Amino acid sequence: FQAEDGIRDLVRSRGLGDVYKRQTMVSERTGPASCANDVRGLIMGGSVPGSFKNEIDYLWKEDRPGLVLFKKRINERLPKYQETFKKSAEGLDIHWTLIAAISYQESHWNPKAKSNTGVRGLMMLTQKTAREMGITKRTNPEDSIIGGANYFQKTFDRLPEDIPKLDKIWMTLAAYNLGYVNLNLARTLAEEKNLNSNIWSEVADCLEEILINRYGAESEKFVMHEEVMRYVKRIDLYYKTLSMMDRDNEMYLLAQK
């Protein structure tokens, strides 16, 4: 059950072993097919016994308005696309909640979103990426989600298999945002500095040097590295939150049986 990646990371950082064990025991008995069809239950129905409500509040403690908006978007927008997110994750190494988290960061689940650089749609694909993934209309929600998910998996697969799963996810996110070439150069630089090129935090330090060397002259106030670090951090937040909400709904459904 791949949504556990986000939860497991939170467990390691906050020592939530007992809660995680209770949730995992249920998951092992029921399997991934028992996940709820709609994550709105936690938001609309309140907390449930053994839920992650306190942990979600902790994650968002520095951005309470952001959590309010996230819940609003979950209620109003996510239901339209949730089944497509799930469909897009079939056969991939990632859970649908990660794809949904990427899409929220990119477009707030707005299929008509467009940036000043020309990227468009729920997954904010460039024209080049869309062509590469066989997408003809980037504003088509299903095409955008499936194209973005497959592009993420394609990038994920280019990285060595011995990279720890979460580090590999964060590196792939950086590549999704900045391009694989920049990430690969950062990993090479990490090796040259005798750092661990399989650990995201050490690669991220080298990524700043790569970006400054390649793009620093384009702006008096260079912020690209700061932006990509925020990009990865925000998706991490959305991913963990959606993963916990998805698990909470699984628990809630079991309680009704």
Side-chain angles (χ1 to χ4, degrees):
F1 188 61
Q2 294 163 339
E4 288 179 356
D5 286 329
I7 300 172
R8 192 178 292 118
D9 189 44
L10 180 64
V11 168
R12 287 201 297 263
S13 66
R14 291 204 61 208
L16 303 172
D18 290 340
V19 174
Y20 179 73
K21 286 178 183 176
R22 290 196 297 272
Q23 304 282 22
T24 303
M25 286 172 64
V26 174
S27 177
E28 289 173 349
R29 290 198 301 268
T30 60
S34 66
C35 289
N37 290 326
D38 191 347
V39 298
R40 289 179 296 169
L42 177 66
I43 305 302
M44 301 180 71
S47 60
V48 296
S51 77
F52 285 104
K53 181 180 183 304
N54 291 338
E55 283 64 50
I56 291 173
D57 287 342
Y58 177 85
L59 285 174
W60 290 82
K61 66 182 186 299
E62 296 179 358
D63 187 13
R64 304 303 298 175
L67 178 57
V68 172
L69 179 60
F70 192 49
K71 290 179 177 181
K72 179 179 173 64
R73 295 287 188 253
I74 286 173
N75 283 328
E76 296 178 352
R77 296 184 179 180
L78 182 57
K80 300 175 187 176
Y81 312 114
Q82 184 169 336
E83 289 306 313
T84 305
F85 285 129
K86 289 184 176 183
K87 177 182 176 182
S88 73
E90 293 176 359
L92 304 187
D93 292 325
I94 53 177
H95 193 260
W96 74 268
T97 51
L98 178 59
I99 301 169
I102 297 170
S103 181
Y104 185 77
Q105 171 64 27
E106 292 285 358
S107 67
H108 274 219
W109 300 322
N110 175 9
K112 297 181 179 180
K114 181 179 179 180
S115 78
N116 54 10
T117 59
V119 294
R120 303 182 67 178
L122 281 169
M123 300 295 285
M124 294 297 255
L125 303 177
T126 65
Q127 288 185 335
K128 178 182 178 181
T129 299
R131 285 195 299 269
E132 182 180 340
M133 305 314 297
I135 303 302
T136 57
K137 189 174 182 180
R138 290 176 291 165
T139 54
N140 178 285
E142 183 170 0
D143 287 352
S144 181
I145 291 171
I146 292 176
N150 288 337
Y151 181 72
F152 183 94
Q153 182 69 47
K154 181 178 180 179
T155 306
F156 185 88
D157 289 342
R158 295 179 70 180
L159 292 167
E161 293 183 359
D162 58 344
I163 298 178
K165 179 71 174 289
L166 285 172
D167 289 284
K168 195 171 182 179
I169 286 174
W170 311 144
M171 290 185 202
T172 305
L173 287 174
Y176 191 98
N177 182 248
L178 289 172
Y180 184 82
V181 170
N182 288 316
L183 176 71
N184 198 43
L185 287 171
R187 293 191 69 244
T188 300
L189 181 59
E191 292 174 359
E192 293 173 355
K193 292 186 173 185
N194 294 318
L195 299 174
N196 191 337
S197 63
N198 287 352
I199 301 299
W200 163 242
S201 60
E202 299 193 22
V203 172
D205 289 340
C206 295
L207 184 59
E208 181 173 19
E209 185 174 334
I210 294 296
L211 294 175
I212 290 175
N213 289 339
R214 298 194 76 195
Y215 309 106
E218 297 178 5
S219 172
E220 294 181 2
K221 186 178 180 181
F222 185 79
V223 295
M224 189 176 290
H225 180 259
E226 185 178 312
E227 289 175 349
V228 73
M229 295 304 293
R230 175 177 169 79
Y231 178 88
V232 173
K233 183 178 180 180
R234 296 301 293 186
I235 293 176
D236 181 18
L237 175 62
Y238 307 143
Y239 174 41
K240 289 174 181 174
T241 304
L242 287 171
S243 295
M244 286 186 280
M245 288 179 176
D246 192 46
R247 176 57 59 82
D248 259 323
N249 274 294
E250 179 183 349
M251 297 292 289
Y252 180 78
L253 288 182
L254 286 172
Q256 307 308 304
K257 292 183 178 180

